[in-house]
Amino acid sequence: MKSVYRTVIANLWRSPIRTFTVIDYFKLHNYHTTLFVLAGIVNVLNRNFIKLSDHRNNLLSNLLSSVLIGALAGWLGLLLFSGLVYLTGKWLKGQANFSDISNTVAYATLPCLVSLGLTICGIALLRLLGFEYNTYYYQYMQSWHYTSYGIIAIHRYINYALNFYYFVLVFAGLSVAQHYSITKSVINVLLAIGMIALPLALFIIVPYLTSR
């Protein structure tokens, strides 16, 4: 079974549909909670990248709080997202159960975990360079001539690409688990996101309109 997991990790990048077919066939459900937690930690570390890279800030306390918040946010957030994808998938007559959906969402995070190493290296480099963040300095250094900006920009763009690929993998995984087309997988995810975005939009817009 370990060889199957190694195959999944090695081939998810280049053959996502085939890899998710293997995951679905062997019912590889052992690590989805761990992947949820790791994905949450990576996400919060990336969001706090500038703060953690500032050599004036206490690295240990900020790193510890980022890990704790990320672990909880990743577990709850991706569990909620899986539930909404499962619910909206039923509207589209998807055939996957909740465990299949949460497994798909979890394995889709694997490439994003690559950014953990990049983030740690980036933080270490910037702190060694004596990076200090403030609004004026950050606006002034928006140039590739500055080493610090180069590191920050590369980190940002790689994470944009990995986040985009995360959704590509979710679409591919859902098409396998739900037994429908990529187009329906995209609709499934958009409906799930809409169930979160619409109430939030109403919560913001309605008070604004009533106060005018």
Side-chain angles (χ1 to χ4, degrees), residues 32-45 63-79:
H32 71 267
T33 301
T34 302
L35 290 171
F36 280 178
V37 169
L38 286 175
I41 291 171
V42 170
N43 184 52
V44 173
L45 288 177
L63 190 61
L64 183 61
S65 63
S66 295
V67 168
L68 292 175
I69 293 169
L72 183 61
W75 177 58
L76 291 176
L78 290 176
L79 201 62

Side-chain angles (χ1 to χ4, degrees), residues 12-80:
L12 191 62
W13 290 87
R14 55 189 179 186
S15 304
I17 291 180
R18 185 181 299 175
T19 305
F20 276 111
T21 302
V22 171
I23 292 169
D24 186 61
Y25 179 80
F26 286 101
K27 300 299 180 186
L28 304 179
H29 293 172
N30 292 347
Y31 299 109
H32 71 267
T33 301
T34 302
L35 290 171
F36 280 178
V37 169
L38 286 175
I41 291 171
V42 170
N43 184 52
V44 173
L45 288 177
N46 287 334
R47 288 178 178 275
N48 292 340
F49 181 72
I50 298 294
K51 182 179 179 180
L52 291 166
S53 299
D54 191 326
H55 75 98
R56 298 168 300 179
N57 294 331
N58 186 298
L59 179 62
L60 184 60
S61 62
N62 284 314
L63 190 61
L64 183 61
S65 63
S66 295
V67 168
L68 292 175
I69 293 169
L72 183 61
W75 177 58
L76 291 176
L78 290 176
L79 201 62
L80 173 62

